[in-house]
Amino acid sequence: MREIVLDTETTGLDPKKGHRLIEVGGIEMINRIPTGREFHRFINPQRDVPREAQEIHGIATEFLFDKPLFKDVVRDLLAFLADDVLVIHNAQFDIMFLNYELGLVGEKPISFERVVDTLAIARRRHPAGPNTLDGLCKRYSIDNSVRTKHGALVDSLLLAEVYVELLGERQAALGLQTVGAKASGLRPGAGRTLAAVRPEPLPPRIGEADIAAHQSFIEKMKTPALWLNFWNKTSA
């Protein structure tokens, strides 16, 4: 199963008030494991970035002057997203901005039916909160020391770890997936070969003396032991 963990940064809170998208970052996951494929673009919003927004993500107006417009990156973005599930924290906000930008360039909006909102999941699992990305990282002991400011790609990488924890699939993912499948780009389990059967079984590692010593120990036990049933059956 392919999923895209996605995050955005903007000039403000509402596109209807003239605010625009300035950064998009996302990572690909297959069966809840990051594959290493990433998408990351800074975008020229064709307007200034207010000071209060800069204090959150650290992206200044001057930095974005030479960056591409949304119309110049939209095809690459849509190709990366494909038709797969999008995993987003506080998804209403990001989808609102993405759909606004898509509408400006004549592209179809993203349906919310294909979106998983990790904030909604977190609120169900931890109603007392806090359910910010930093708060969830702390709850699940995820190192977020690189997150000195909000950033679309860094936040996507952290959210991928939080997402697996929220679903309770950390141990399953570690136990059932293979590094080889991830590195090769194959679906986990694809190309797997069956283990060869030994032509002859391995010889026992316990000798007759060990067996006799264990039997003697069991017979000296004062309370009934299950091992006595075993020895009685084997000696019959």
Side-chain angles (χ1 to χ4, degrees):
M1 177 177 60
R2 184 176 188 264
E3 296 171 295
I4 302 298
V5 184
L6 193 71
D7 187 57
T8 66
E9 300 298 339
T10 68
T11 64
L13 300 177
D14 190 349
K16 294 180 181 179
K17 295 181 179 180
H19 289 292
R20 302 290 300 275
L21 201 66
I22 60 174
E23 185 185 11
V24 181
I27 69 167
E28 179 187 67
M29 298 182 78
I30 302 293
N31 293 336
R32 309 278 157 74
I33 295 181
T35 66
R37 285 194 64 203
E38 300 174 350
F39 179 92
H40 184 224
R41 298 288 190 279
F42 289 104
I43 298 166
N44 184 344
Q46 297 181 291
R47 56 152 294 164
D48 67 300
V49 180
R51 182 184 299 274
E52 56 268 27
Q54 289 188 41
E55 290 175 354
I56 294 173
H57 47 57
I59 302 173
T61 304
E62 296 76 17
F63 174 77
L64 298 170
F65 280 159
D66 62 345
K67 300 303 182 287
L69 303 179
F70 184 79
K71 67 177 184 178
D72 299 321
V73 306
V74 65
R75 301 312 305 167
D76 290 340
L77 172 62
L78 292 177
F80 181 76
L81 300 182
D83 295 320
D84 296 298
V85 172
L86 306 181
V87 179
I88 307 173
H89 201 66
N90 191 17
Q92 293 280 1
F93 179 84
D94 299 84
I95 294 300
M96 174 178 64
F97 269 94
L98 284 166
N99 282 344
Y100 178 80
E101 297 286 351
L102 289 168
L104 290 179
V105 297
E107 294 289 346
K108 294 180 181 178
I110 295 171
S111 171
F112 209 80
E113 293 180 357
R114 61 183 284 202
V115 176
V116 173
D117 189 349
T118 51
L119 179 58
I121 298 174
R123 284 172 173 168
R124 290 195 298 270
R125 289 204 62 184
H126 311 297
N131 290 312
T132 61
L133 184 56
D134 283 332
L136 292 168
C137 285
K138 183 177 181 180
R139 177 185 293 275
Y140 293 121
S141 300
I142 295 170
D143 182 8
N144 65 338
S145 57
V146 296
R147 193 181 190 242
T148 56
K149 295 279 188 181
H150 289 217
L153 187 59
V154 169
D155 288 4
S156 295
L157 291 166
L158 291 173
L159 182 58
E161 294 191 63
V162 167
Y163 178 49
V164 174
E165 295 286 0
L166 284 171
L167 298 181
E169 297 185 0
R170 169 70 62 189
Q171 295 303 320
L174 290 175
L176 299 178
Q177 305 299 332
T178 64
V179 175
K182 184 176 79 171
S184 65
L186 294 174
R187 290 176 291 102
R192 183 179 298 165
T193 57
L194 297 176
V197 179
R198 292 182 181 275
E200 296 181 5
L202 290 172
R205 297 186 179 183
I206 300 175
E208 292 295 331
D210 297 313
I211 296 174
H214 185 255
Q215 184 174 3
S216 175
F217 172 77
I218 294 298
E219 290 172 347
K220 291 178 181 178
M221 295 178 69
K222 295 181 180 180
T223 57
L226 293 175
W227 273 103
L228 290 174
N229 295 333
F230 171 79
W231 290 122
N232 291 336
K233 289 179 180 179
T234 56
S235 59

